[in-house]
Amino acid sequence: MANGFDGLYERNFECILVDKVFDSCLKKVCFDDIKVQLPDGIDPNFCDIEVRFENGVIVPGSLKVLDSSVLPEGCKRIKATVVTNYIVVATCNGKCFEIPGTLPEIPLDIVMYHPDTRSEFKFNIIVETRGEVLDQIVECECNDGCILTLAIGVFVIPKVIGRVQLKLDQVFPYCVPPRECKDFSDVSACDDFDSAAFPDDFYPAQSQYIYPCGQ
């Protein structure tokens, strides 16, 4: 038999196919002068302003994986450009305004573990980001409207990903559906009320002290 195997194959372990993170690192970038033009006619003093961030992405065509003689074995120079989109949500007097925007480009020129391997195996370079508003100021001019100035910090985590088969020393049972699906048409607002406990404050609270009449 091939490889000298001529018996039953007993396997007391499990194999899973996963995206393994071969390397990752952290880069912090701060933008202290992001200008956002607010819609005309709104009074920012009566507005709730929220900034929502999307996960950053690598600009197509900007990723380069380069060799360098000054780097340790198995490491590569990774160059890429990351952009992050955001939306400023201004809620004013019951109306919601959404102003989309894009943060300035974040250039990456870093060193990461990216070992040489067979040509069939492909690495994938991805980024995960988190944006935070560090400060915000609204300034209004008579003719130019209101400008929102933001200071924004961005955490950027580049990752080198490769799809591999990993061994688990324990064989885990399969996860089966734990319950039957419930149709939406069977959902009723009365379901929770039917099982609700009788409220303790059904009657007004009684006084702990009784004062003599006429005093």
Side-chain angles (χ1 to χ4, degrees):
M1 298 292 291
N3 301 323
F5 177 75
D6 58 0
L8 294 175
Y9 177 46
E10 181 179 355
R11 193 175 78 174
N12 59 352
F13 57 89
E14 193 72 18
C15 293
I16 57 174
L17 195 62
V18 298
D19 288 330
K20 174 181 169 62
V21 180
F22 282 80
D23 194 13
S24 65
C25 58
L26 171 64
K27 185 177 181 67
K28 293 188 287 186
V29 182
C30 187
F31 304 104
D32 60 0
D33 193 29
I34 303 299
K35 303 290 187 181
V36 179
Q37 178 73 53
L38 297 179
D40 294 335
I42 70 171
D43 187 347
N45 295 317
F46 298 95
C47 294
D48 292 326
I49 297 178
E50 178 187 5
V51 183
R52 301 172 184 172
F53 298 94
E54 297 180 5
N55 191 66
V57 296
I58 295 177
V59 175
S62 69
L63 177 63
K64 294 180 176 59
V65 180
L66 306 173
D67 291 309
S68 175
S69 59
V70 301
L71 297 180
E73 183 179 355
C75 293
K76 295 285 195 297
R77 180 184 181 185
I78 308 296
K79 298 185 68 177
T81 301
V82 177
V83 293
T84 303
N85 294 325
Y86 64 88
I87 297 178
V88 175
V89 181
T91 304
C92 312
N93 297 323
K95 294 183 179 180
C96 183
F97 303 89
E98 294 188 354
I99 307 103
T102 302
L103 294 178
E105 294 182 345
I106 300 175
L108 297 179
D109 191 354
I110 56 179
V111 176
M112 301 192 76
Y113 179 67
H114 190 295
D116 294 323
T117 184
R118 56 188 172 87
S119 60
E120 297 90 345
F121 188 89
K122 302 300 181 184
F123 287 105
N124 188 23
I125 309 296
I126 67 170
V127 293
E128 288 185 323
T129 63
R130 173 189 170 93
E132 294 185 0
V133 176
L134 307 177
D135 192 18
Q136 64 181 42
I137 300 174
V138 177
E139 297 176 305
C140 297
E141 300 292 340
C142 294
N143 298 324
D144 297 332
C146 296
I147 301 293
L148 172 66
T149 302
L150 298 170
I152 294 175
V154 182
F155 296 91
V156 183
I157 303 180
K159 296 183 179 183
V160 178
I161 306 292
R163 197 158 182 80
V164 300
Q165 179 174 287
L166 294 183
K167 173 187 174 184
L168 301 179
D169 291 329
Q170 179 181 353
V171 178
F172 295 95
Y174 289 111
C175 291
V176 298
R179 61 177 179 83
E180 292 186 3
C181 296
K182 185 174 183 177
D183 293 332
F184 180 77
S185 59
D186 295 334
V187 178
S188 171
C190 295
D191 290 344
D192 292 337
F193 181 77
D194 290 340
S195 59
F198 187 80
D200 294 334
D201 58 351
F202 186 83
Y203 295 109
Q206 298 190 65
S207 174
Q208 298 180 2
Y209 305 98
I210 299 177
Y211 297 96
C213 294
Q215 296 187 9

Short mmCIF file of all heavy atoms in Angstrom, two decimals, residues 48-55 84-91 96-103 129-133 136 148 150 152:
data_model
loop_
_atom_site.label_atom_id
_atom_site.label_comp_id
_atom_site.label_asym_id
_atom_site.label_seq_id
_atom_site.Cartn_x
_atom_site.Cartn_y
_atom_site.Cartn_z
N ASP A 48 -28.86 66.48 17.76
CA ASP A 48 -27.99 65.41 18.24
C ASP A 48 -27.14 64.95 17.05
O ASP A 48 -27.67 64.57 16.00
CB ASP A 48 -28.80 64.23 18.78
CG ASP A 48 -29.54 64.59 20.06
OD1 ASP A 48 -29.00 65.39 20.84
OD2 ASP A 48 -30.65 64.08 20.28
N ILE A 49 -25.82 65.01 17.21
CA ILE A 49 -24.91 64.67 16.12
C ILE A 49 -24.14 63.41 16.48
O ILE A 49 -23.54 63.30 17.55
CB ILE A 49 -23.94 65.83 15.84
CG1 ILE A 49 -24.72 67.07 15.37
CG2 ILE A 49 -22.91 65.42 14.79
CD1 ILE A 49 -23.86 68.28 15.12
N GLU A 50 -24.18 62.44 15.57
CA GLU A 50 -23.49 61.16 15.75
C GLU A 50 -22.67 60.87 14.50
O GLU A 50 -23.10 61.17 13.38
CB GLU A 50 -24.50 60.05 15.99
CG GLU A 50 -23.90 58.66 16.14
CD GLU A 50 -24.93 57.56 16.21
OE1 GLU A 50 -26.14 57.87 16.05
OE2 GLU A 50 -24.55 56.40 16.39
N VAL A 51 -21.50 60.27 14.70
CA VAL A 51 -20.64 59.89 13.58
C VAL A 51 -20.53 58.36 13.57
O VAL A 51 -20.15 57.75 14.57
CB VAL A 51 -19.24 60.52 13.68
CG1 VAL A 51 -18.41 60.15 12.46
CG2 VAL A 51 -19.35 62.04 13.81
N ARG A 52 -20.89 57.77 12.44
CA ARG A 52 -20.82 56.32 12.28
C ARG A 52 -19.74 55.98 11.25
O ARG A 52 -19.72 56.55 10.16
CB ARG A 52 -22.17 55.76 11.84
CG ARG A 52 -23.31 56.06 12.82
CD ARG A 52 -24.65 55.65 12.24
NE ARG A 52 -25.74 56.03 13.13
CZ ARG A 52 -27.03 55.93 12.81
NH1 ARG A 52 -27.37 55.47 11.60
NH2 ARG A 52 -27.96 56.29 13.67
N PHE A 53 -18.88 55.03 11.60
CA PHE A 53 -17.76 54.67 10.74
C PHE A 53 -17.99 53.31 10.09
O PHE A 53 -18.55 52.40 10.70
CB PHE A 53 -16.46 54.63 11.54
CG PHE A 53 -16.08 55.95 12.16
CD1 PHE A 53 -16.45 56.26 13.46
CD2 PHE A 53 -15.35 56.88 11.43
CE1 PHE A 53 -16.10 57.47 14.03
CE2 PHE A 53 -15.00 58.10 11.99
CZ PHE A 53 -15.38 58.39 13.29
N GLU A 54 -17.54 53.19 8.84
CA GLU A 54 -17.47 51.90 8.19
C GLU A 54 -16.07 51.33 8.38
O GLU A 54 -15.12 52.08 8.67
CB GLU A 54 -17.78 52.03 6.69
CG GLU A 54 -19.18 52.53 6.39
CD GLU A 54 -19.43 52.65 4.89
OE1 GLU A 54 -18.55 52.24 4.10
OE2 GLU A 54 -20.51 53.13 4.51
N ASN A 55 -15.94 50.01 8.23
CA ASN A 55 -14.62 49.42 8.32
C ASN A 55 -13.77 49.90 7.15
O ASN A 55 -14.24 49.98 6.01
CB ASN A 55 -14.70 47.89 8.30
CG ASN A 55 -13.37 47.24 8.65
OD1 ASN A 55 -12.89 47.36 9.77
ND2 ASN A 55 -12.76 46.57 7.67
N THR A 84 -11.30 55.11 4.86
CA THR A 84 -12.41 54.83 5.77
C THR A 84 -13.54 55.81 5.49
O THR A 84 -13.34 57.03 5.54
CB THR A 84 -11.97 54.95 7.24
OG1 THR A 84 -10.88 54.07 7.49
CG2 THR A 84 -13.12 54.61 8.18
N ASN A 85 -14.72 55.27 5.22
CA ASN A 85 -15.90 56.10 5.01
C ASN A 85 -16.64 56.31 6.34
O ASN A 85 -16.56 55.47 7.24
CB ASN A 85 -16.84 55.46 4.00
CG ASN A 85 -16.24 55.38 2.61
OD1 ASN A 85 -15.51 56.27 2.19
ND2 ASN A 85 -16.54 54.32 1.88
N TYR A 86 -17.35 57.41 6.43
CA TYR A 86 -18.13 57.69 7.63
C TYR A 86 -19.42 58.41 7.24
O TYR A 86 -19.56 58.91 6.11
CB TYR A 86 -17.33 58.55 8.63
CG TYR A 86 -16.99 59.93 8.13
CD1 TYR A 86 -17.87 61.00 8.30
CD2 TYR A 86 -15.80 60.16 7.46
CE1 TYR A 86 -17.57 62.27 7.83
CE2 TYR A 86 -15.49 61.43 6.98
CZ TYR A 86 -16.37 62.48 7.16
OH TYR A 86 -16.07 63.73 6.69
N ILE A 87 -20.36 58.45 8.16
CA ILE A 87 -21.61 59.18 7.97
C ILE A 87 -21.87 60.01 9.22
O ILE A 87 -21.86 59.48 10.33
CB ILE A 87 -22.80 58.23 7.71
CG1 ILE A 87 -22.59 57.45 6.41
CG2 ILE A 87 -24.11 59.02 7.63
CD1 ILE A 87 -23.71 56.46 6.13
N VAL A 88 -22.08 61.29 9.04
CA VAL A 88 -22.50 62.16 10.14
C VAL A 88 -24.02 62.20 10.14
O VAL A 88 -24.65 62.56 9.14
CB VAL A 88 -21.94 63.59 9.98
CG1 VAL A 88 -22.49 64.51 11.07
CG2 VAL A 88 -20.41 63.56 10.03
N VAL A 89 -24.61 61.77 11.26
CA VAL A 89 -26.07 61.73 11.39
C VAL A 89 -26.49 62.85 12.33
O VAL A 89 -26.13 62.85 13.51
CB VAL A 89 -26.55 60.37 11.92
CG1 VAL A 89 -28.07 60.34 12.04
CG2 VAL A 89 -26.07 59.25 11.01
N ALA A 90 -27.24 63.82 11.80
CA ALA A 90 -27.72 64.94 12.60
C ALA A 90 -29.24 64.83 12.73
O ALA A 90 -29.96 64.85 11.73
CB ALA A 90 -27.35 66.27 11.94
N THR A 91 -29.70 64.67 13.96
CA THR A 91 -31.13 64.58 14.24
C THR A 91 -31.58 65.89 14.85
O THR A 91 -31.17 66.26 15.95
CB THR A 91 -31.44 63.42 15.18
OG1 THR A 91 -30.91 62.20 14.63
CG2 THR A 91 -32.94 63.25 15.37
N CYS A 96 -34.03 63.74 10.37
CA CYS A 96 -32.71 63.10 10.36
C CYS A 96 -31.98 63.46 9.07
O CYS A 96 -32.52 63.29 7.96
CB CYS A 96 -32.86 61.59 10.50
SG CYS A 96 -31.29 60.71 10.59
N PHE A 97 -30.77 63.99 9.21
CA PHE A 97 -29.93 64.33 8.07
C PHE A 97 -28.69 63.46 8.10
O PHE A 97 -28.05 63.32 9.15
CB PHE A 97 -29.53 65.81 8.11
CG PHE A 97 -30.69 66.77 8.15
CD1 PHE A 97 -31.24 67.16 9.37
CD2 PHE A 97 -31.23 67.27 6.98
CE1 PHE A 97 -32.30 68.05 9.42
CE2 PHE A 97 -32.29 68.16 7.02
CZ PHE A 97 -32.84 68.55 8.24
N GLU A 98 -28.33 62.86 6.96
CA GLU A 98 -27.13 62.03 6.87
C GLU A 98 -26.16 62.66 5.88
O GLU A 98 -26.51 62.91 4.72
CB GLU A 98 -27.49 60.61 6.43
CG GLU A 98 -28.32 59.84 7.45
CD GLU A 98 -28.50 58.39 7.08
OE1 GLU A 98 -28.07 58.00 5.96
OE2 GLU A 98 -29.06 57.62 7.91
N ILE A 99 -24.94 62.93 6.36
CA ILE A 99 -23.91 63.53 5.51
C ILE A 99 -22.75 62.56 5.39
O ILE A 99 -22.00 62.35 6.36
CB ILE A 99 -23.41 64.87 6.10
CG1 ILE A 99 -24.59 65.82 6.39
CG2 ILE A 99 -22.42 65.53 5.16
CD1 ILE A 99 -24.98 65.90 7.83
N PRO A 100 -22.59 61.90 4.23
CA PRO A 100 -21.49 60.94 4.07
C PRO A 100 -20.16 61.65 3.84
O PRO A 100 -20.11 62.78 3.35
CB PRO A 100 -21.91 60.14 2.84
CG PRO A 100 -22.76 61.08 2.05
CD PRO A 100 -23.46 61.96 3.05
N GLY A 101 -19.09 60.96 4.18
CA GLY A 101 -17.76 61.51 3.97
C GLY A 101 -16.71 60.42 3.99
O GLY A 101 -17.00 59.26 4.32
N THR A 102 -15.49 60.78 3.63
CA THR A 102 -14.37 59.84 3.61
C THR A 102 -13.17 60.50 4.29
O THR A 102 -12.83 61.65 3.98
CB THR A 102 -13.99 59.46 2.17
OG1 THR A 102 -15.12 58.87 1.52
CG2 THR A 102 -12.85 58.46 2.17
N LEU A 103 -12.57 59.79 5.21
CA LEU A 103 -11.37 60.31 5.87
C LEU A 103 -10.20 60.34 4.89
O LEU A 103 -10.19 59.61 3.89
CB LEU A 103 -11.02 59.43 7.07
CG LEU A 103 -12.01 59.42 8.23
CD1 LEU A 103 -11.53 58.46 9.32
CD2 LEU A 103 -12.19 60.81 8.81
N THR A 129 -10.58 48.19 11.16
CA THR A 129 -10.42 49.53 11.70
C THR A 129 -11.49 49.84 12.73
O THR A 129 -12.54 49.19 12.78
CB THR A 129 -10.50 50.59 10.58
OG1 THR A 129 -11.81 50.55 9.98
CG2 THR A 129 -9.45 50.33 9.51
N ARG A 130 -11.19 50.82 13.55
CA ARG A 130 -12.16 51.37 14.50
C ARG A 130 -11.93 52.87 14.57
O ARG A 130 -10.82 53.33 14.88
CB ARG A 130 -11.99 50.74 15.89
CG ARG A 130 -12.87 51.40 16.97
CD ARG A 130 -12.50 50.90 18.35
NE ARG A 130 -13.16 51.67 19.40
CZ ARG A 130 -14.32 51.36 19.97
NH1 ARG A 130 -14.96 50.28 19.58
NH2 ARG A 130 -14.84 52.12 20.91
N GLY A 131 -12.98 53.64 14.29
CA GLY A 131 -12.88 55.09 14.35
C GLY A 131 -13.52 55.63 15.63
O GLY A 131 -14.53 55.11 16.09
N GLU A 132 -12.93 56.67 16.18
CA GLU A 132 -13.45 57.30 17.39
C GLU A 132 -13.41 58.82 17.24
O GLU A 132 -12.42 59.38 16.75
CB GLU A 132 -12.64 56.90 18.62
CG GLU A 132 -12.73 55.43 18.99
CD GLU A 132 -12.00 55.13 20.29
OE1 GLU A 132 -11.42 56.07 20.88
OE2 GLU A 132 -12.01 53.96 20.71
N VAL A 133 -14.50 59.48 17.65
CA VAL A 133 -14.53 60.94 17.66
C VAL A 133 -13.87 61.43 18.94
O VAL A 133 -14.34 61.15 20.04
CB VAL A 133 -15.97 61.47 17.56
CG1 VAL A 133 -15.99 62.99 17.67
CG2 VAL A 133 -16.61 61.03 16.24
N GLN A 136 -15.31 67.52 18.91
CA GLN A 136 -16.12 68.10 17.83
C GLN A 136 -16.54 69.51 18.21
O GLN A 136 -16.85 69.80 19.36
CB GLN A 136 -17.34 67.23 17.53
CG GLN A 136 -18.35 67.11 18.66
CD GLN A 136 -19.51 66.21 18.26
OE1 GLN A 136 -19.32 65.16 17.65
NE2 GLN A 136 -20.71 66.62 18.61
N LEU A 148 -19.08 71.66 10.95
CA LEU A 148 -18.71 70.75 12.03
C LEU A 148 -17.25 70.35 11.84
O LEU A 148 -16.87 69.84 10.79
CB LEU A 148 -19.60 69.51 12.01
CG LEU A 148 -19.23 68.37 12.96
CD1 LEU A 148 -19.39 68.80 14.42
CD2 LEU A 148 -20.08 67.13 12.67
N LEU A 150 -14.24 68.01 13.24
CA LEU A 150 -14.06 66.78 14.01
C LEU A 150 -12.57 66.46 14.18
O LEU A 150 -11.77 66.66 13.26
CB LEU A 150 -14.73 65.59 13.31
CG LEU A 150 -16.25 65.65 13.13
CD1 LEU A 150 -16.70 64.54 12.20
CD2 LEU A 150 -16.95 65.55 14.47
N ILE A 152 -10.63 63.01 14.85
CA ILE A 152 -10.97 61.59 14.76
C ILE A 152 -9.70 60.76 14.89
O ILE A 152 -8.69 61.03 14.23
CB ILE A 152 -11.68 61.29 13.42
CG1 ILE A 152 -13.05 61.99 13.38
CG2 ILE A 152 -11.84 59.78 13.21
CD1 ILE A 152 -13.77 61.84 12.07
#
